[in-house]
Structures are given as structure tokens and as C-alpha cells.
Amino acid sequence: MSDYTSGQINFAGLGNGTDFNQLIDGMIKIERNRVVRLESWKSEWEAKVEAFNELNTRMLSLKSTMEGMNTVNEFLTKSVTSTYSDVVSATADSSAEVASHTVRINQLAQNAILTNQNGYLATDAEVTASGAGATFEYSYQGVSHSLNVPGGTTLQGLQNLINNDPDNPGVKASLISDGSEVYLQFRGMDLGEDATLEIGAGTTLSGFTAADFDVTQSNQNAELRVNGWPTSDWISVPSNTVTGIVDGLTLNLKGSSLGTDISLTVNTDKEAVKENVRTFVDQINEVRKYILEITNFDTVEEEGSLLTGNYGVEMISQNLKNIASEKGLGFFYYDDSGAAPQGDVFSSLSQVGILTDADENSPTAGLLQVDEERLDEALAEDTDAVAKLFSADHEGGVYNTNDLAYYSHIDSITQAGSYKVKYTVDGSGEITEAWINGFKASIDNVNHRITSPSNKVAVGDTLVEQNPSAGLVLDVLNRAPGTYPPSGTSDEDYPLGVLKQGKTGQFINELKELTNENTGPLHILEENYEDIMDMIDDKIAYEEKRITKMERTLKEKFARLDALLGQYEGQSAQLTSQISQMSQG
């Protein structure tokens, strides 16, 4: 028996047991397979975008790590030990030589401190009578300052007037107590003999004139000798933190050495340098491991990973591998075959023990490894050269020539690398023509210098520099008449202007490009994939609409069929009854 209701279509089927709802559901389920396939297809693109985001995050983390060690001063750690660290200690940057120094301290630098002689029973005791104002005048570093002290001002109020004065030149008032009375103490915040502090003659505040203050500490410079110099006098400086006396050393003076020389010993902290190398390798491997994970091809199952063969990821992988395997920018292999050695002690990571594991059966296949023994040998041979390989920051020089010398470059404009140089000198010693990196250089015959020019071209609305050597300035040392190098000089013997950049800087620059939010390859791919997913969403929406319409149409058709069959069932019952009656008659 059917159960049919018009309007909202609902029926259970015929009396013979036919269930049209189940039949329609089955047909719709078959149609929805298209939607399921589209949703599965979209999820694959979503997974790829998620992988892009994860790779981008790891590259940004690598970039951040490299930025923490992209100068020699950050990469090359030097330590200083003192025989009396409670009297003098020191810190060293990368320019400090490994050596020992002596320091003798005659006196520390001090600030001026004045203490008022008049004590008060409480901080809220008035220093001026109610309604009677007064003036407090003082001179600091030779400049006079005056404060109006209103009537009824308390001791603490006077302190606040001094400290909160918007024109305060660098003095501070504080309140001290001997247990029974409170006193005002007045001090300059600067050290040295020029940081004078005096109460002015224009002070009318009773009890706070110059005669009411004791000089409890006089301002003075620090006095010291370094390595026995000067022999009969003292180095005088207005600070207890002293720089510039010994290259790369900052001295922290803490007390007088009472006629005794204190020894400071500078050493390279090789273990800290090795830890920097390990961090460098570990962070690169974090990116490499993830790339291997998302691009791996299973030769047994003959099945790729999520991004196997993806050209964007493959490009990123190769670019990062190239930086790790190639010579550093502006670096050259060491060559001692000529009259004078030239080149770099270390110019590639492999020379200091960093290599890629090429064993396909190794659990670290494709990752960088550190040969600790070779690294130790490199550090023992030339620690500074190891540091430069990793973190030289546009260090200028020349190669293949004694005719030129590096003078300067423009930060953020001149790019690291090596650039061919050619110039001509006339009979009077004037430079008449010069070329750097194939671009005609500007000439300064007063200072005998040549400068690589800017060469910008418009790309859309932006001017883009086409000359990576732009801003490189070289001194011309050989000004004998002639052309340098002479005609016929081979490429390998050409004089070069050089800017060295260590591996950390190379990685930073490449990672900036790769993670760029507008032009980076992952960003471009993600935009393309988003377009694809939008297209899939449109297809899903179309299918959902089509299936909804189909389901409604099917229900209407089967509802009419159900009603019709119901009529036929009733007619069949009547005929059966009539036949039965005729048979009985």
C-alpha cells in the first residue's frame, strides 16, 4: 500500500513493497560520486598549499637563523679572561687579535654627588613656607638651570620638581636617611671631569644654597695604562667602559688596581664557532628534510609523494643546494703557484668538512653532514678564514692584480661577486677610460679612482638596477701609460674587483627571494592553486545544484507514478471482486 502526500513529497511505496525513497537515494548517491571526486581533487590541492605554507615557514626560520650569524663579529666568538675580573674585565669582537694585554687602573671615572647637610624628620616636611615661593638654581656641565619652588613644597616635592623637570639636563635627586632624618642627595648622571655639578648663586631656597651641600663625590675621568703605555702619564677617559685603545676590545673598569698590572688574554672560542657551524647545518637540513619528505618517490611502490616533480619545489631545492656546494661569492681557490699567493684559504663548505651525504641507503641521504675532524683541522689552520667563509659581509678586495685596490662600495646597492676591470692611462698619467663589469666607469683623476656606474631600466613602473657592481669604487695604483690589462689577456688572468659574501648572507638573500609574498615561487604557485580550487568549488556548486534539481524531479515523477499505480491497484481490486462474484453466481 502506498503512502503519498502532495506538496512536500513523501511516499513509502506500493503495496507490493517497492520503496521509491530508497530507489531515489540510490540514484542520487550515484550522481554524488562526481561531487565526491571533485572534493577529493580539491583536498589534494589544499594539501599542496598546506605543504607550501609549511615549507615557507621552515625557510623563514632558516633565514632568521642565518641573520643571527651573518657577520664575522656574530659568527666568530672570542673570549677574554682576566687575572682580576673584579677589577677589570673585557669583551672582544672578531677584530680582536688573539693576544695578551696588561691594564693598570689608577682611578675609575665618577659622577658628581652633592649631599644636603640639613636633615628633615619626614619626606613630607615643608622646605618652603606656605605662600612663599623660592628659586633653586644649579649648573650641570657648565650650563645653568633654574627651578621655581612654590610655597608649601615638601622635601619629596622638591625631589619630584628636579627629577620631573622637562628640561632636566641629566641630573637626579634622591632622598637618603641616616635612620633618624632624611636628606636630599643631588647627583649628575654622567661620568667624567666635564660632568660638573654645582649649586648656583641664584638659589634663594633656604637650606639649599651652595654652602648647605657637601661634595660627597667628585666627578673625574678614569685613568689607566694599557700594555705599559703611556709610561709616565695616564690614558684619561670619561667612562668606565673603554673602547678604541686596543682594536676589538671593550674594557669594563670596576676598581683601582693599586699599582698592579692586570693581564687580559684574548682567545678564539672555537667550540662556540663549531656550535655555530652545527646550527648552520642543522637549520639547512630542516628545510632539506621537509623537501625530501614532500617530493620523495617510492621506487618499491612506484608511487610519488605529495609534490613529487613539482617544479617550484624542485627549483627551491636546487637553488639552496647550489649555495651549499658552490664557492662563496667573491671567493677564489687558494693559489700559491705565482710570485705571491692569492685566493682564499677556504672558499667552499666542503673544504671545512661540510658535505652532502650521497649514500642513498643512509638515513641521512641528501642531508648535509659535518666532518668534525676536518672542521677541527680547518679551525686550527685559520679560524678567521673559516669565519669569513660563513659570514663575510661584502668584504672588498681585488684579485689577479697589483694595479688596483678596493676603496668602497654602496651598501644595499653593490652586490657581492667578482667583476672584470679594464682601464687606460695616457702619457700624462691621466686615466682616460675605465670599465668595470662591462660598464663604462666614471673617472676621478684627482684621487685616481674609478667607480662602476648605475644602469637602471624600467620594468613596469619600477626602475631595476642591471649592474650588480654599481657603486664599486677602486683605487688605480699603476698609472704608467698603457692599457690594463693588455690586449690578449685571458679571462682567468683578468684583474677583478671583488666583494666577498659568506654563505649565511647568500642564503639570506636567496631566502628573501624564495619567500617573497609577491614574487616568491611558492606564492605564485599558491595563487595558481587557489584559482584551481575556486574552479573546483564552482564545479561542486554546479553539481550540487544539478543534483538537487534532479532529486526534486525524481521525487515528483515517482510521486505521480505512485499515485497512478495506486489507482490501478484500486481498479484491480474492484475487477477481482467482480470476477469473484460472477464466479459464485
Side-chain angles (χ1 to χ4, degrees):
M1 182 161 205
S2 66
D3 179 10
Y4 170 70
T5 304
S6 64
Q8 182 177 2
I9 300 167
N10 178 37
F11 48 85
L14 297 173
N16 63 4
T18 303
D19 187 343
F20 286 109
N21 276 331
Q22 184 176 3
L23 179 61
I24 293 171
D25 288 345
M27 296 172 70
I28 295 302
K29 184 177 181 181
I30 293 171
E31 291 297 322
R32 286 198 62 82
N33 283 339
R34 297 185 186 183
V35 175
V36 171
R37 287 194 297 271
L38 288 170
E39 290 174 338
S40 177
W41 188 27
K42 180 183 177 182
S43 67
E44 292 176 6
W45 293 106
E46 288 175 332
K48 291 177 181 180
V49 170
E50 288 176 5
F52 287 161
N53 290 334
E54 176 62 24
L55 177 56
N56 196 69
T57 297
R58 296 196 185 205
M59 289 195 296
L60 288 173
S61 177
L62 173 59
K63 175 174 167 286
S64 178
T65 297
M66 296 297 174
E67 287 171 339
M69 57 175 71
N70 65 330
T71 65
V72 172
N73 195 41
E74 291 170 327
F75 195 89
L76 184 60
T77 304
K78 290 189 175 179
S79 60
V80 185
T81 57
S82 170
T83 51
Y84 292 97
S85 59
D86 55 341
V87 175
V88 60
S89 62
T91 57
D93 64 27
S94 62
S95 65
E97 294 183 1
V98 174
S100 291
H101 305 278
T102 60
V103 177
R104 179 175 294 191
I105 303 170
N106 186 48
Q107 66 182 34
L108 293 179
Q110 294 181 164
N111 59 326
I113 301 177
L114 308 178
T115 304
N116 190 258
Q117 302 164 356
N118 302 308
Y120 293 81
L121 294 177
T123 60
D124 59 357
E126 291 186 355
V127 297
T128 55
S130 179
T135 299
F136 180 66
E137 183 182 274
Y138 65 91
S139 173
Y140 185 59
Q141 295 181 329
V143 180
S144 180
H145 298 269
S146 181
L147 291 173
N148 177 43
V149 183
T153 298
T154 64
L155 183 63
Q156 189 167 45
L158 177 61
Q159 176 196 16
N160 292 336
L161 278 174
I162 296 170
N163 293 341
N164 299 330
D165 177 13
D167 296 322
N168 186 313
V171 298
K172 188 170 184 178
S174 57
L175 302 180
I176 59 175
S177 173
D178 62 2
S180 58
E181 292 185 310
V182 182
Y183 300 83
L184 180 79
Q185 193 171 78
F186 192 37
R187 66 183 184 275
M189 300 303 291
D190 300 287
L191 306 179
E193 60 187 20
D194 293 333
T196 56
L197 178 63
E198 297 173 341
I199 305 301
T203 296
T204 61
L205 181 62
S206 177
F208 291 89
T209 64
D212 296 310
F213 281 88
D214 293 324
V215 177
T216 51
Q217 180 169 288
S218 298
N219 57 293
Q220 63 184 29
N221 280 0
E223 294 181 346
L224 69 157
R225 290 181 185 141
V226 178
N227 296 329
W229 181 85
T231 54
S232 58
D233 203 349
W234 301 94
I235 300 169
S236 180
V237 290
S239 174
N240 292 318
T241 301
V242 183
T243 60
I245 297 177
V246 179
D247 285 345
L249 276 190
T250 298
L251 306 179
N252 302 304
L253 312 183
K254 303 175 184 179
S256 171
S257 59
L258 302 176
T260 302
D261 285 339
I262 297 171
S263 294
L264 299 175
T265 304
V266 182
N267 286 300
T268 299
D269 189 344
K270 292 184 179 179
E271 191 54 44
V273 175
K274 287 172 68 175
E275 190 57 36
N276 284 337
V277 173
R278 296 185 192 109
T279 299
F280 173 91
V281 169
D282 289 344
Q283 289 300 307
I284 292 174
N285 281 342
E286 283 298 309
V287 174
R288 285 197 175 192
K289 279 188 289 188
Y290 189 68
I291 290 176
L292 289 171
E293 177 186 330
I294 59 179
T295 61
N296 181 54
F297 183 81
D298 190 330
T299 56
V300 177
E301 298 293 333
E302 296 187 348
E303 183 179 4
S305 300
L306 180 63
L307 291 169
T308 299
N310 182 279
Y311 74 92
V313 177
E314 292 293 341
M315 181 193 73
I316 289 171
S317 177
Q318 192 58 54
N319 287 3
L320 297 181
K321 285 180 180 178
N322 289 344
I323 294 174
S325 62
E326 295 173 351
K327 285 189 302 179
L329 284 177
F331 284 77
F332 296 89
Y333 293 122
Y334 188 73
D335 179 12
D336 59 359
S337 61
Q342 64 175 352
D344 300 280
V345 177
F346 305 115
S347 55
S348 66
L349 294 177
S350 61
Q351 293 176 324
V352 297
I354 299 175
L355 295 163
T356 299
D357 186 353
D359 183 357
E360 293 183 357
N361 297 318
S362 169
T364 58
L367 303 181
L368 292 179
Q369 290 184 311
V370 181
D371 182 336
E372 295 281 349
E373 184 176 347
R374 177 65 192 113
L375 178 58
D376 285 338
E377 291 172 355
L379 289 171
E381 182 179 355
D382 195 330
T383 306
D384 289 345
V386 173
K388 286 181 180 179
L389 173 61
F390 283 92
S391 54
D393 184 16
H394 291 78
E395 181 180 308
V398 296
Y399 186 76
N400 271 345
T401 183
N402 293 317
D403 297 334
L404 302 163
Y406 166 82
Y407 180 73
S408 68
H409 71 278
I410 302 175
D411 289 338
S412 302
I413 300 295
T414 317
Q415 297 180 27
S418 55
Y419 305 104
K420 289 183 178 180
V421 183
K422 185 176 183 178
Y423 69 96
T424 300
V425 179
D426 66 14
S428 66
E430 295 281 299
I431 306 165
T432 59
E433 192 175 49
W435 300 80
I436 300 176
N437 194 36
F439 294 90
K440 193 168 185 178
S442 61
I443 297 169
D444 174 3
N445 271 312
V446 174
N447 295 300
H448 315 298
R449 291 183 184 130
I450 56 177
T451 302
S452 187
S454 174
N455 184 52
K456 294 181 178 180
V457 299
V459 178
D461 296 330
T462 306
L463 289 175
V464 179
E465 181 63 66
Q466 301 298 301
N467 179 14
S469 70
L472 178 62
V473 184
L474 301 174
D475 283 324
V476 178
L477 305 180
N478 181 3
R479 298 187 295 280
T483 296
Y484 304 91
S487 178
T489 300
S490 65
D491 284 349
E492 64 183 20
D493 293 326
Y494 228 86
L496 302 172
V498 172
L499 275 183
K500 298 183 192 296
Q501 184 177 48
K503 290 298 175 180
T504 54
Q506 284 185 256
F507 273 108
I508 290 168
N509 289 343
E510 182 64 26
L511 290 164
K512 282 181 181 177
E513 296 296 324
L514 296 177
T515 59
N516 187 284
E517 294 181 354
N518 296 313
T519 61
L522 293 183
H523 174 76
I524 293 172
L525 284 172
E526 184 174 341
E527 282 192 334
N528 291 340
Y529 290 4
E530 293 287 354
D531 290 341
I532 292 173
M533 287 188 286
D534 288 343
M535 178 268 293
I536 294 173
D537 283 337
D538 291 341
K539 287 181 177 291
I540 291 173
Y542 171 80
E543 287 296 322
E544 293 285 6
K545 186 176 180 181
R546 183 186 66 82
I547 292 170
T548 299
K549 182 178 180 181
M550 178 183 178
E551 184 177 14
R552 184 172 62 249
T553 300
L554 286 173
K555 286 185 176 182
E556 290 173 349
K557 286 182 178 180
F558 279 104
R560 289 194 296 270
L561 176 60
D562 191 47
L564 180 59
L565 291 179
Q567 293 175 10
Y568 289 158
E569 183 183 15
Q571 292 174 3
S572 175
Q574 290 178 1
L575 289 172
T576 300
S577 176
Q578 290 174 0
I579 293 170
S580 175
Q581 291 175 3
M582 291 173 63
S583 297
Q584 292 175 1

